[in-house]
Amino acid sequence: MRGLFGRRSARRERHRRLPPASARSRGPGAERTTEPGTSEDAGQPPPRKRRFRLPFGPRTVAGEVFVLQVTVIVLLMVAVVIAFVLHARWDNIRQARKQALAVARTFAQSPEVISALDGKNPTAKLQPRAQAVRAATDVSYVVVWKPDGIRVTAPEPGLIGKRVSGPFKDVVEEAREGRSTTETLQAAPGPTVNSAVPVNNPDGTLIGLVSTGVTVSRVNQGVKNQLPVLLMSAAGALALASGSSALVSRRLRRQTHGLGTEEMTRMYEHHDAVLHAVREGVLILDDTGRLVLVNNEARRLLELPEDAEGRRVDEVGLGAGMAALLASGRTASDEVHLAGGRLLAVNVRSTRGGEGPRGRVATLRDTTELHALEGRAEGARERLRLLYEAGVRVGTTLDVVRTAEELTEVAVPRFADFATVELLDPVLRGEEPTAARTDIRRAAISGIRDDVPLRPVGETVRSVTVPSTGQAVEESGQAVLETDLREAHDWLAHNPEHGRRALEYGIRSLISTPLRARGKVLGTADFWRTDQSEPYDEEDLAFAEELTARAAVSIDNARRYTRENAMAVTLQRSLLPRGLPEQDALEVASRYRPTRAGVGGDWFDVIPLPGARVALVVGDVVGHGLHAAATMGRLRTAVLNFSSLDLTPEELLAHLDELVDRIDQDQTAESNGAMVTGATCLYAIYDSVSGRCTVARAGHPGPALVLPDGTVEYPDVPVGLPLGLGGAPFETAELLLPRDSRLVLFTDGLVEDRERDIDDGLALLHETLTGHPGRSPEETCRAVLDALLPAEPSDDVALLVARARVLAPDRVAQWDVPADSGAVAPLRAKVNHKLTEWGLEEASFTTELILSELVTNAIRYGSEPIRVRLLYQTSLTCEVADGSSTSPHLRRAAATEEGGRGLFLVAQLAERWGTRYTPHGKVMWTEQNLHPEGNSAEQDADSLLDQWNEQL
């Protein structure tokens, strides 16, 4: 079959052979051609010249298309011109505002303006400058006026000395606050852009204002200059677009010209064949509502009689809804109507035939099965979307209760009207659920309303819903579906009061599913629906099981994290100092803030040392969790042990560095990957006698020093490599701490965060500490954490603040002792006199005995110089220094030995004793408790002598 487009060339050829339209209009005989001058030509008017015709008619489609295109083009051109004018005007006004403000600021910031305004005749100095600036910058005026509104300069001399026009008090108030103003005013030349800039004395007081203005007429002139060019461009574009539209319309008319009867008949045959072959019903109605055409599919779908064509739609047995739609004459798009047990999607459109009367066409499509499939598919898609959303929203935190709340929030209202979660008590504590029966506590509840008559959060629910349901969930772990709770007699019998209130409220259906993860039942999740929703069915039960299965894994993860975090916190708290030790050298306050992401390795310590000294330690272990807490405990224990040897800060860090290296070697040998290298530490020793503090650090942030006057500085402390890297010695810095100065030690978590650089953190810490000389260490800790610690820190923080105390000179006594045994007796007399001066007569016997033994050992086994020092604090410290590095050892002397009992007596009489080494020898020291409980010193001496009674 040859189609319409396949015969286009043949139609064009026939069109070329057709005679003119005037000849065809005269009938069959008009097809003959005649010679000029014959009788047929007699009396005929001479042929007229062919007139120019438009390529389209005014009532043709091509003509309408042309008119529409031209109209759109004209509207676009008008819109472009208007937009350009408005934009140009706005841009020029903006430039005028900038120009006026810039000129005013430049003039106001001129030094001569301030001096002139303070002078006797400011107009004489400023008027010429204002006129010169106005002429040079092309502004309309430059006016200098005082805060009371009196003009100093003006474009017209007659206005000088007069008050500025319009309200100016708001402008003056803005100027007093140091702000400039720019606004459009109605002036004599017309609307003017006016800018006012304050002129201030060096002390900040307002002495005048400078106002400049640019008239809007100047702005509009620039727009007018550009408008002719724009209009000419728009006219050219309009002409070009109109010509293009004319060519397109002519082409359209040519393509629809010359269709003959044969082609039209063939097109109708094709149309009729397609009309009755499609699987879509077609109805054509006239304007009176009669059926003009009905295809076969429409007859089948509507079960129309054979003589339906020509009858009205309300006479062929259609349903009321379908007949009303077809007879109404309104347009419809995919309206679903029931006809003959089928759901039909109906589309109604109006037809306008050029060769026939107006009417309507209706198409019918059977969507019965499609609706059923779409309903099931949409339900499945909604459940998949809800499952996906649950995977995203449930388990965002590692908190058990919050995870349960997220599950209920996801289920309401898209799956349930109310949702509750009950968890076993061990699960809420982070413990492993056991086979023993335990209480179930409501952990979360969500609903479409707040007045639901269900047990509140925190209340114990011994059975999940009803005895049978609770038993099923707890023992068999199977989900339970209650389609209609009014028929759940066991549930009503279990708790009649709560059941009656729930039914009166309107709750009708329930699904109770176990929260099972890794073979353990953690609790139950209950989904409730009221009588306003469809009751649950088996498909809903399967979905609820899938939803709770995913949520149970998140709850179990949160439970395990809670358990591990509790273990880590317990371990860390056991390793951190429970309280700060008592000492007289420093007033100390501390804070530790763990991160929610897990327990970290930050730690601190305050270690009393002999000789009125205190060691301050702050450290940080890389990582979080149990390993970091355990490593922190090992390092803290090591520092305590090393400090008992009274090592200098650099020596202690060197030993700690070697320890970390050995730990890492052991970890590498075990292949567990938990490395310690990278830990940092700061160690400082403060001597309250001299007021000096020796500091060394291994990769740790340096301290901040708050002086008594409130100023803050960061002392320059040499930084060493982090622990475990080795290869370089550690260096120390000696700081002089005045009385009441504060030393602030901290870990990097205080000053560094994901959203804050360490330099910004140090600057903020400096700002927080500055200007508060009277703060106590406790107040300083509180202020620092409030200012620097974010709501959810990404790293744990350790903070240590120590206020320096200096031992008074009258509480220190010192003597040089010659290396002669005869010097011991005079020394005892001096010590006894000093103790009497201090009011410590009761401790004189014990002190004399201790010093006698220590000095005798120094004279006998040591070397010069020998020096004795007494320090009076809450305890009495005795120090004997000599130039020998040999340390005596405590031992028990045999019964036959004459010596060897001196150190034993010292150890028994003193509360603590020991030896520390100095660059020039050693120091033997003892500490005595000045408030002993029990017997006196004489009784203590007698008890010591009694220890040898059995051997003598």
Side-chain angles (χ1 to χ4, degrees), residues 594-614:
T595 176
R596 292 186 178 182
V599 174
D602 290 10
W603 56 283
F604 63 90
D605 217 334
V606 179
I607 307 172
L609 297 177
R613 297 174 304 139
V614 176

Side-chain angles (χ1 to χ4, degrees), residues 171-222:
V171 177
V172 173
E173 291 299 326
E174 294 288 333
R176 293 188 188 278
E177 296 179 4
R179 293 195 293 268
S180 304
T181 58
T182 301
E183 56 186 349
T184 302
L185 304 176
Q186 291 293 334
T192 302
V193 176
N194 179 77
S195 293
V197 177
V199 180
N200 296 325
N201 271 331
D203 59 355
T205 60
L206 180 67
I207 63 174
L209 296 94
V210 177
S211 297
T212 60
V214 178
T215 58
V216 178
S217 60
R218 296 186 182 181
V219 175
N220 296 336
Q221 186 61 37

Side-chain angles (χ1 to χ4, degrees), residues 295-315:
N295 73 341
N296 296 336
E297 184 67 12
R299 293 180 185 274
R300 184 183 70 84
L301 295 176
L302 298 177
E303 300 178 356
L304 297 176
E306 293 295 332
D307 59 347
E309 294 181 355
R311 298 171 61 181
R312 296 179 57 86
V313 292
D314 53 359
E315 298 175 356

Side-chain angles (χ1 to χ4, degrees), residues 824 828 847-859 861 880 900-906 909:
V824 176
R828 286 200 299 265
T847 306
E848 290 178 7
L849 183 58
I850 291 174
L851 285 178
S852 297
E853 294 296 336
L854 294 181
V855 172
T856 301
N857 284 339
I859 294 173
Y861 304 108
V880 177
R901 297 177 178 84
L903 283 183
F904 182 82
L905 291 174
V906 170
L909 293 175

Side-chain angles (χ1 to χ4, degrees), residues 239-386:
L240 180 61
S242 300
S244 301
S245 299
L247 294 177
V248 172
S249 300
R250 182 170 181 172
R251 180 64 178 173
L252 178 62
R253 186 173 184 275
R254 286 183 177 180
Q255 288 182 346
T256 58
H257 178 72
L259 290 177
T261 306
E262 183 180 354
E263 286 79 5
M264 294 297 294
T265 302
R266 191 177 300 276
M267 290 177 61
Y268 175 77
E269 293 175 351
H270 293 169
H271 171 267
D272 190 61
V274 172
L275 179 66
H276 294 285
V278 296
R279 294 295 305 272
E280 185 168 320
V282 178
L283 300 174
I284 299 179
L285 303 92
D286 59 14
D287 55 355
T288 63
R290 295 183 181 274
L291 294 173
V292 177
L293 176 65
V294 180
N295 73 341
N296 296 336
E297 184 67 12
R299 293 180 185 274
R300 184 183 70 84
L301 295 176
L302 298 177
E303 300 178 356
L304 297 176
E306 293 295 332
D307 59 347
E309 294 181 355
R311 298 171 61 181
R312 296 179 57 86
V313 292
D314 53 359
E315 298 175 356
V316 294
L318 296 178
M322 178 69 71
L325 173 61
L326 297 177
S328 64
R330 64 182 180 87
T331 301
S333 297
D334 288 334
E335 288 192 10
V336 179
H337 290 269
L338 183 63
R342 298 183 179 89
L343 290 175
L344 303 180
V346 184
N347 291 275
V348 180
R349 295 291 184 273
S350 175
T351 63
R352 185 170 183 174
E355 299 178 355
R358 299 180 58 182
R360 296 181 303 279
V361 60
T363 59
L364 312 172
R365 187 173 67 256
D366 190 359
T367 61
T368 305
E369 297 181 357
L370 181 61
H371 270 274
L373 292 175
E374 286 182 352
R376 290 194 293 270
E378 182 60 29
R381 284 194 298 268
E382 178 62 24
R383 290 187 176 92
L384 288 177
R385 284 194 294 266
L386 188 55

Side-chain angles (χ1 to χ4, degrees), residues 478-521:
Q478 299 297 322
V480 174
L481 168 64
E482 294 289 349
T483 304
D484 191 350
L485 288 176
R486 292 171 295 185
E487 300 179 359
H489 302 292
D490 293 339
W491 175 63
L492 291 173
H494 171 69
N495 197 329
E497 180 64 23
H498 281 82
R500 181 185 58 80
R501 292 171 55 192
L503 292 178
E504 291 177 354
Y505 187 81
I507 294 178
R508 292 291 182 268
S509 187
L510 166 68
I511 291 180
S512 183
T513 57
L515 291 168
R516 186 192 302 112
R518 300 176 179 89
K520 298 288 185 178
V521 175

